[in-house]
Amino acid sequence: MRTITLIIIHCSAVRPDQTSSAAQIDTWHRKQGWKLGIGYHYVVRRDGQIEPGRPEYLVGVHCLNHNRHSIGVCYEGGLNAKGAAADTRTPAQKHALVALLRSLKQDYPDARIIGHHDLPWVRKDCPCFDARAEYAEL
């Protein structure tokens, strides 16, 4: 079993009129040459559905230098209609994210929940909200 020290929240960087299911992300990542496909462990859709991605026992491909000891969670969205970074989580996504993160914290109680942009070398807005603050009580 892997030692998990981080749960890293991402957004899929799609506009409200675009979709990004786990299957779609898997296709995108395979086109980038990732033989095991989707790099995230979970995808949270706008309707709140939680889709499995890469199995937790496998190292993800979602955060340089931290994949080996993290779980990657991606929510569908992150861009507004004009393509600018924005917190586009729906109420259903917010509820599903909390439920998923509570479950993951039961399995990995010492893991810290952070946003992708919280890592010092990340120059993206991903996940477009302050995950550390929002999930501090979990």
Side-chain angles (χ1 to χ4, degrees), residues 4-133:
I4 302 301
T5 60
L6 294 172
I7 300 168
I8 303 174
I9 311 299
H10 300 265
C11 66
S12 62
V14 296
R15 297 173 189 222
D17 64 341
Q18 298 173 308
T19 60
S20 54
S21 67
Q24 287 171 302
I25 295 170
D26 181 72
T27 298
W28 301 340
H29 288 179
R30 286 180 189 278
K31 284 182 180 177
Q32 292 180 18
W34 301 356
K35 292 179 182 177
L36 295 177
I38 189 168
Y40 306 115
H41 296 95
Y42 296 96
V43 175
V44 181
R45 303 295 305 274
R46 288 186 181 98
D47 66 1
Q49 181 181 352
I50 300 169
E51 296 181 341
R54 188 172 289 216
E56 286 182 27
Y57 67 86
L58 290 177
V59 173
V61 182
H62 59 91
C63 192
L64 184 66
N65 299 322
H66 290 284
N67 291 313
R68 189 172 28 102
H69 58 268
S70 67
I71 297 291
V73 175
C74 180
Y75 77 90
E76 179 180 35
L79 298 180
N80 65 21
K82 294 182 179 182
D87 180 0
T88 62
R89 293 172 299 152
T90 65
Q93 278 178 312
K94 289 179 180 184
H95 179 76
L97 277 162
V98 167
L100 174 59
L101 293 172
R102 278 193 178 125
S103 175
L104 290 170
K105 284 291 284 182
Q106 285 181 341
D107 294 337
Y108 311 106
D110 296 328
R112 291 183 302 126
I113 300 170
I114 65 169
H116 187 200
H117 66 222
D118 291 321
L119 295 162
W121 60 87
V122 175
R123 302 287 181 249
K124 300 178 180 185
D125 292 319
C126 176
C128 303
F129 70 98
D130 188 347
R132 279 192 299 199

